[in-house]
Amino acid sequence: MFVIITYDVSEKRVNKVCKKLKEYLNWTQNSVFEGEMTKTQFLKCRRDLEKIIDHETDSIYYYVVENPKHLKKFHVGAEKADLDLFF
Amino acid sequence: MFVIITYDVSEKRVNKVCKKLKEYLNWTQNSVFEGEMTKTQFLKCRRDLEKIIDHETDSIYYYVVENPKHLKKFHVGAEKADLDLFF
């Protein structure tokens, strides 16, 4: 399945969240990761992330499309930077 | 169709981009808007946004799911703030 994850997480925890997401998905831009993953990976990723964040102040949205063919993606503008520059 | 739009836009243009997106979609968090729109609205929205941004430095991703039933959305953590606080 194809998954898009966006997060709004305190600076204190943002590196941990990014590193965890990078294990499963590709960085797109800002606070957005995306990519294909299995249901098992998705559940593990959610469990891991939800141990890191503060549920009172941080926020994560998950968008899941079971069949990647049902999702169209368009991009306009500058090419994304290389995440490795940041980690 | 259901559309998710994420942007990475210079501070100089970010307010214009947000105001334009607010005409069509709901703000989710950070630089993410989402919602249902017609194909005509989507094309108009893209045209409008692409007039505002600097194509050399700014970046916008559009994710489109024709049938909203094909998209599952999950949220964990803090509830989103009210966008009206910012505009």
Side-chain angles (χ1 to χ4, degrees), chain A residues 2 4 6-8 28-32 34 42 46 50 53 55-66 70-78 80, chain B residues 2 4 6-8 28-32 34 42 46 50 53 55-66 70-78 80:
Chain A
F2 194 91
I4 303 157
T6 77
Y7 53 88
D8 184 356
T28 306
Q29 67 183 8
N30 279 345
S31 46
V32 182
E34 60 167 63
F42 177 61
R46 281 190 67 172
E50 290 163 27
I53 64 165
H55 290 244
E56 296 294 311
T57 57
D58 301 336
S59 167
I60 298 180
Y61 282 86
Y62 306 92
Y63 301 92
V64 179
V65 182
E66 293 279 352
H70 290 142
L71 181 81
K72 283 183 203 148
K73 181 181 155 188
F74 309 90
H75 173 247
V76 67
K80 69 176 184 178
Chain B
F2 195 91
I4 303 157
T6 77
Y7 53 88
D8 184 355
T28 306
Q29 67 183 6
N30 280 344
S31 47
V32 182
E34 60 167 63
F42 177 61
R46 280 190 68 172
E50 289 162 28
I53 64 163
H55 290 244
E56 295 295 311
T57 57
D58 301 337
S59 167
I60 298 179
Y61 282 85
Y62 306 92
Y63 301 92
V64 178
V65 182
E66 291 280 351
H70 290 143
L71 181 81
K72 282 183 204 151
K73 182 181 155 188
F74 308 90
H75 173 246
V76 66
K80 69 176 183 179

Side-chain angles (χ1 to χ4, degrees), chain A residues 11-60:
Chain A
E11 256 184 64
K12 289 178 206 160
R13 292 174 290 277
V14 78
N15 271 355
K16 269 196 174 178
V17 165
C18 282
K19 277 184 188 163
K20 183 50 69 185
L21 282 167
K22 212 186 156 195
E23 288 177 23
Y24 297 95
L25 297 169
N26 305 306
W27 181 65
T28 306
Q29 67 183 8
N30 279 345
S31 46
V32 182
F33 278 76
E34 60 167 63
E36 289 199 41
M37 61 205 304
T38 64
K39 198 165 186 169
T40 310
Q41 286 172 322
F42 177 61
L43 293 174
K44 188 170 177 337
C45 179
R46 281 190 67 172
R47 240 191 342 260
D48 290 350
L49 288 173
E50 290 163 27
K51 275 181 207 159
I52 298 170
I53 64 165
D54 177 332
H55 290 244
E56 296 294 311
T57 57
D58 301 336
S59 167
I60 298 180

